[in-house]
Amino acid sequence: MLGLGIAVAIVFGRPYDRARLEPGAGVTLLDRDGGILRRAGAGAHWTPLDGIAPDLVKATLASEDHRFYDHHGVDVWGLTRAAWLDLRGGRMAFGGSTITMQLVRMVEPGPRGLSRKLRQIVDAVRIERALSKPAILEQYLNRAYYGNRATGAQAAAQVYFGKPAAELSLGEAALLAVIPRAPEAYDPFRQREAALARRAHVLSLMVKRGFISAEEARAAAAEPLALKRTPAPFQAPHFCDHVLFELAAQGASGTVRTTLDRPLQERLEAATQDHLRTLFGQHVTNAGIVVLDNDSGAVRALIGSSSYSDAQVDIVLARRSPGSALKPFLYALALERGDGPASVAYDAVRPELHVGRAHNADGKQRGAVRYRDALGSSLNLAALDLVTRRVGTQTFLDRLAQAGLLRPGTTGSPGVVLGAASVRPLDLAAAFAAFARDGTFHPWHDRAGAERPAERLFSPQVAFLVADMLADPAARRPVFGEDLPLDLPFRLLAKTGTSAGFADNVTVGATREYTVLAWAGNFDGSPMHGVLAMRGAAPLVRAAFLTLRERGPLTLPERPDRIEEAAVCPLSGLRPGPYCQARKRDLFVAGTAPGRTCDWHRAGGAIQWPSELRAWAASKNDRAPLARSE
């Protein structure tokens, strides 16, 4: 017996770690204009006991633990009664837990069971020695969950009645005391009658146990239940989740102003829902959007999925295939080597490309294609030719890493230009913005004051020429047709991408002021029913830019110095020769216009094809027309 007594003394005598009861400072997230997006952490609503209506304290004691001031953490009579009722009912329905034991469960949640109950008893006794009774009540009332995302009495008073916890009436306080026992069953918004019936019971208990008079109970029961339905702020959920994750990693707390534009966010949330309804039956189950302010890289809107409650995956921060949306970076690197928008890529299958079964979406080959048309038409074989013959795969990968899209040192195959590498859509939006902002790359940020310095990704001249190609509707039209979602009252830099297997649609668009990226598809990688990005994602980019246009003009990048025009042969991209029957004018960085005269066209209309295209030319009577490809 002595040994048992010593063991019990050791177990119960060990002091409780009071650090576990520290609520933390909490975090309040604000939008760019100061509106509350979310409060997180117990400390965000922590209220001293004297800031909570005494009637709520009394109602809680009457309902949960009327012998609170008479025990030392454990109510032996209550536990015995609960055990007897559980045995009689054949299930664990009555816990017999004191307020102090419930506090232990709040601080250290875990599965129910006998061992868990014993641990609660031990810790409850320890807490009673560490804290005063008022301090325990303060802990409980600030940690109790009152449903509808309201943790703590202060949050609950705001959510249900739109007032501070100190101003609750007796009827309101009795109702709130009901909810923690079963937040869904006693939700006054959805289960009004059940909540009122339980409130009547709590009022009767308050009378029985001497907290209030019978007359006060009758008046409280007759009090109209004026619910305000003021939900706890829970805006832009994926965006806030990420900001909170960053703050937690930094150990930061307090009030934090973010970069989010809430009216824009709300408009685009509605647009996402509307757009997915138009794709009903095409197995397109989700979508996401991000909007960046190009001047700073600030995130103005972020939608990680069409329904946060159904899918808490944040698709704009998940690594997905971008399809052809990386091609603009490839063409920019070719322009850095002295090429121009009128330079020619070889859109043909050639053994030296080592690209396996790669082909254009329609299965056709087009031979010689100007960069401007190849990029606008998103021709796969032309891009593979470019990365193999002109740029180099590793050079391409290294530049993507510099733009924050890949990890430094990433290696791969030429197929990376077709979407073989996974990138985060939000990172892609920030990198794409460089073409609209003079070639400088500005890392995205989501909190005020967290802007990071920009770095140069391309020269202003190269960025301008790529932007000019991406904003050329004539280059898109032969493949995608007329009346496209990207045909707006103003010109837009835009590129679409559809992954192999139709699991991902990406469209990214930009003006000088903003960059918008939209994703559509299926989180599980299952294929859409042949939906291309021009239909799956582009309409969301359109909706975003039409909304942004309401705020002011949207413009293209200004033409920098050292850009000149020159005439070229549209077939060879060289200076027009005596036998060229057509010529086009295009833009070049000063000093890079072709000096070589076209020698493809010969007398009599004959064409001397370069060696890389002779096998293709031998199989064609003439050049195939552009057809749908992405």
Side-chain angles (χ1 to χ4, degrees):
M1 290 295 292
L2 179 60
L4 178 61
I6 293 173
V8 171
I10 292 174
V11 170
F12 285 91
R14 186 182 306 156
Y16 189 81
D17 182 5
R18 297 184 61 162
R20 297 177 183 176
L21 300 173
E22 291 295 327
V27 177
T28 298
L29 298 183
L30 308 179
D31 64 24
R32 64 180 300 199
D33 297 319
I36 297 176
L37 296 173
R38 192 189 300 182
R39 289 190 173 100
H45 288 280
W46 199 270
T47 304
L49 190 62
D50 60 10
I52 297 173
D55 284 334
L56 179 55
V57 177
K58 295 174 184 177
T60 301
L61 290 172
S63 175
E64 299 298 325
D65 188 0
H66 68 281
R67 282 187 288 271
F68 176 71
Y69 285 102
D70 300 324
H71 61 66
H72 299 287
V74 180
D75 185 349
V76 176
W77 165 245
L79 283 175
T80 303
R81 178 178 179 275
W84 181 77
L85 291 172
D86 287 340
L87 285 172
R88 190 177 71 171
R91 62 192 180 94
M92 293 186 66
F94 300 91
S97 295
T98 63
I99 281 177
T100 315
M101 291 170 65
Q102 292 182 55
L103 174 59
V104 172
R105 190 164 63 241
M106 294 171 186
V107 174
E108 300 179 59
R112 292 178 179 270
L114 180 58
S115 62
R116 182 68 183 157
K117 180 70 73 174
L118 292 174
R119 175 63 183 274
Q120 288 175 10
I121 290 172
V122 171
D123 282 347
V125 173
R126 292 173 176 168
I127 285 178
E128 290 271 350
R129 286 202 302 270
L131 299 181
S132 67
K133 289 289 188 178
I136 292 171
L137 282 173
E138 180 178 312
Q139 286 276 337
Y140 176 89
L141 290 168
N142 277 284
R143 294 182 186 275
Y145 181 61
Y146 290 87
N148 289 290
R149 298 195 179 105
T151 296
Q154 190 68 260
Q158 292 290 345
V159 165
Y160 294 107
F161 301 110
K163 62 172 61 175
E167 298 178 9
L168 292 170
S169 68
L170 174 57
E172 293 166 344
L175 181 73
L176 289 191
V178 164
I179 301 173
R181 181 170 290 243
E184 292 187 10
Y186 296 133
D187 181 344
F189 294 139
R190 299 177 180 85
Q191 306 292 341
R192 185 184 182 93
E193 294 307 315
L196 288 175
R198 181 67 188 176
R199 181 179 75 162
H201 177 65
V202 169
L203 288 169
S204 69
L205 290 176
M206 294 178 74
V207 174
K208 178 180 178 180
R209 287 156 184 170
F211 289 111
I212 59 173
S213 67
E215 184 178 344
E216 288 174 316
R218 283 192 296 272
E223 181 182 318
L225 190 60
L227 295 173
K228 297 292 187 181
R229 193 180 283 273
T230 310
F234 199 79
Q235 306 296 320
H238 291 99
F239 174 84
C240 289
D241 280 356
H242 185 262
V243 176
L244 290 171
F245 177 80
E246 290 180 320
L247 293 173
Q250 298 166 8
S253 60
T255 299
V256 176
R257 188 181 292 267
T258 71
T259 61
L260 191 87
D261 184 322
R262 184 158 50 173
L264 176 64
Q265 174 81 16
E266 291 172 350
R267 289 278 296 272
L268 296 185
E269 287 174 350
T272 302
Q273 297 288 344
D274 292 343
H275 177 58
L276 284 176
R277 283 192 283 270
T278 70
L279 296 173
F280 180 76
Q282 299 301 304
H283 191 52
V284 183
T285 60
N286 236 302
I289 310 176
V290 62
V291 179
L292 299 181
D293 183 322
N294 286 345
D295 280 341
S296 64
V299 178
R300 296 302 186 205
L302 189 155
I303 299 168
S305 74
S306 57
S307 173
Y308 182 80
S309 59
D310 294 337
Q312 294 183 21
V313 173
D314 186 345
I315 196 61
V316 301
L317 282 167
R319 289 196 171 272
R320 304 289 294 204
S321 169
S324 295
L326 296 179
K327 288 177 181 173
F329 301 92
L330 173 69
Y331 284 84
L333 287 169
L335 266 55
E336 280 191 342
R337 300 179 66 89
D339 294 351
S343 298
V344 168
Y346 301 151
D347 188 63
V349 173
R350 308 198 312 277
E352 64 268 25
L353 292 182
H354 304 293
V355 294
R357 298 181 179 180
H359 58 275
N360 289 327
D362 60 2
K364 295 181 180 179
Q365 305 170 46
R366 294 165 183 78
V369 185
R370 292 187 305 153
Y371 288 2
R372 180 180 293 277
D373 297 323
L375 178 57
S377 301
S378 200
L379 301 181
N380 291 336
L381 295 175
L384 289 167
D385 167 67
L386 207 58
V387 73
T388 303
R389 182 172 56 90
R390 292 292 294 154
V391 173
T393 301
Q394 195 56 51
T395 298
F396 180 58
L397 291 168
D398 290 345
R399 192 60 61 91
L400 295 182
Q402 183 185 347
L405 295 172
L406 301 177
R407 296 178 179 86
T410 297
T411 60
S413 69
V416 68
V417 300
L418 307 183
S422 296
V423 304
R424 300 197 307 179
L426 181 51
D427 295 336
L428 177 56
F432 189 89
F435 297 118
R437 57 188 322 273
D438 303 324
T440 54
F441 164 60
H442 219 312
W444 59 268
H445 67 282
D446 49 23
R447 284 168 289 153
E451 183 176 349
R452 290 177 284 173
E455 62 176 287
R456 181 152 299 285
L457 195 61
F458 300 106
S459 71
Q461 291 75 23
V462 165
F464 173 80
L465 292 179
V466 174
D468 187 67
M469 291 190 284
L470 291 169
D472 186 349
R476 292 193 291 263
R477 211 163 303 287
V479 167
F480 299 108
E482 303 288 334
D483 194 23
L484 302 176
L486 299 175
D487 291 337
L488 292 160
F490 44 88
R491 289 179 66 194
L492 185 75
L493 288 67
K495 184 70 187 77
T496 60
T498 301
S499 67
F502 292 96
D504 302 271
N505 280 175
V506 172
T507 299
V508 57
T511 63
R512 177 64 188 83
E513 296 77 19
Y514 298 99
T515 294
V516 177
L517 183 143
W519 176 94
N522 300 302
F523 287 171
D524 63 3
S526 58
M528 295 171 281
H529 295 167
V531 178
L532 294 174
M534 191 62 79
R535 182 183 176 201
L540 288 174
V541 172
R542 175 186 179 88
F545 273 108
L546 287 175
T547 300
L548 292 166
R549 180 62 180 82
E550 296 172 7
R551 300 165 176 226
L554 298 175
T555 60
L556 290 180
E558 294 183 3
R559 179 169 171 168
D561 58 5
R562 300 187 58 246
I563 295 292
E564 61 185 19
E565 291 188 16
V568 297
C569 167
L571 178 62
S572 66
L574 301 173
R575 178 183 295 179
Y579 302 111
C580 296
Q581 297 181 352
R583 61 180 59 201
K584 285 183 176 290
R585 297 192 67 80
D586 214 326
L587 301 175
F588 297 87
V589 177
T592 66
R596 176 182 158 198
T597 300
C598 175
D599 55 1
W600 292 23
H601 290 97
R602 302 298 175 90
I607 298 176
Q608 179 65 41
W609 296 101
S611 59
E612 294 90 345
L613 292 178
R614 285 171 189 167
W616 167 82
S619 67
K620 301 288 183 181
N621 292 326
D622 54 20
R623 297 173 68 199
L626 287 173
R628 184 173 295 278
S629 170
E630 187 168 8

